[in-house]
Amino acid sequence: DAFSWCGSCHNAASMQPLQRISESQRQFLLDGVQQNLRSDGRGPFDYRRVIFELNAIPTSTSSCRLRAGETEVLVALKCDLVKPRWTQSDAGQVQVTVDCAPSVSVALADSSTAEDWGRRLSVLLETLCASDSVIDRKALCLLPKVFAWEVHVDVLVLSSGGNLLDSL
């Protein structure tokens, strides 16, 4: 059976099928594959145009605004020098928080829904970054048991054009 997957935060993060697609929708997708054409006119290996605007938020340690097609994401980093946690006295910490603006989807008009989507994406990104091969937390420690960096990554999803997880 074929399913359509929602390109928004909620269903992409939880990987739950949204609904079954009809036979005509299925055939439309298969025809596009055979013709090497996506529904937006791009070829199968064409990328959306990606634009990075660095230091978009001057009050943060670092920041970036990303535009990829119809998706727009704003990311800000804040770094604090803290005493390491006693459970990981030789490592720093990374915390990821994602917020979805109500403009991302009509479904986000309800603020509790937007908060739920943000929580799911935060958990997804924290899980993806949990491996030391992605972020070496020991490299964030300046002096064991004394000083380590605590990095806060704040993500604001302004719009989603179907490639949100790729953009994050």
Side-chain angles (χ1 to χ4, degrees):
D1 285 356
F3 290 93
S4 90
W5 295 90
C6 178
S8 64
C9 328
H10 174 69
N11 290 304
S14 62
M15 300 303 284
Q16 297 294 318
L18 183 61
Q19 63 187 24
R20 292 184 187 273
I21 61 174
S22 69
E23 183 56 35
S24 60
Q25 290 170 318
R26 182 180 167 279
Q27 192 58 50
F28 175 79
L29 293 172
L30 291 174
D31 289 346
V33 170
Q34 288 176 342
Q35 296 173 22
N36 287 327
L37 195 62
R38 296 186 200 189
S39 61
D40 62 3
R42 289 179 295 140
F45 300 107
D46 293 340
Y47 295 98
R48 288 179 170 94
R49 183 173 179 207
V50 177
I51 300 169
F52 288 98
E53 177 189 339
L54 300 177
N55 299 318
I57 304 173
T59 55
S60 66
T61 304
S62 184
S63 62
C64 177
R65 178 185 299 262
L66 166 78
R67 291 184 185 105
E70 298 298 314
T71 298
E72 186 171 1
V73 177
L74 188 60
V75 179
L77 295 178
K78 180 181 173 236
C79 300
D80 293 319
L81 202 52
V82 298
K83 184 175 182 175
R85 295 180 181 169
W86 67 273
T87 56
Q88 293 177 308
S89 62
D90 64 341
Q93 298 298 316
V94 177
Q95 297 175 348
V96 180
T97 305
V98 179
D99 289 314
C100 293
S103 60
V104 171
S105 168
V106 173
L108 291 179
D110 176 18
S111 64
S112 65
T113 304
E115 289 172 9
D116 183 49
W117 287 20
R119 271 192 301 274
R120 289 173 184 258
L121 276 172
S122 297
V123 169
L124 176 66
L125 288 178
E126 289 239 0
T127 302
L128 291 172
C129 295
S131 168
D132 283 337
S133 64
V134 175
I135 298 175
D136 182 3
R137 286 169 173 71
K138 290 187 185 283
L140 297 175
C141 183
L142 302 176
L143 186 59
K145 298 182 183 178
V146 180
F147 293 115
W149 288 109
E150 184 174 76
V151 180
H152 301 270
V153 181
D154 295 316
V155 179
L156 176 59
V157 178
L158 299 170
S159 61
S160 176
N163 58 334
L164 181 59
L165 290 178
D166 292 338
S167 298
L168 294 176

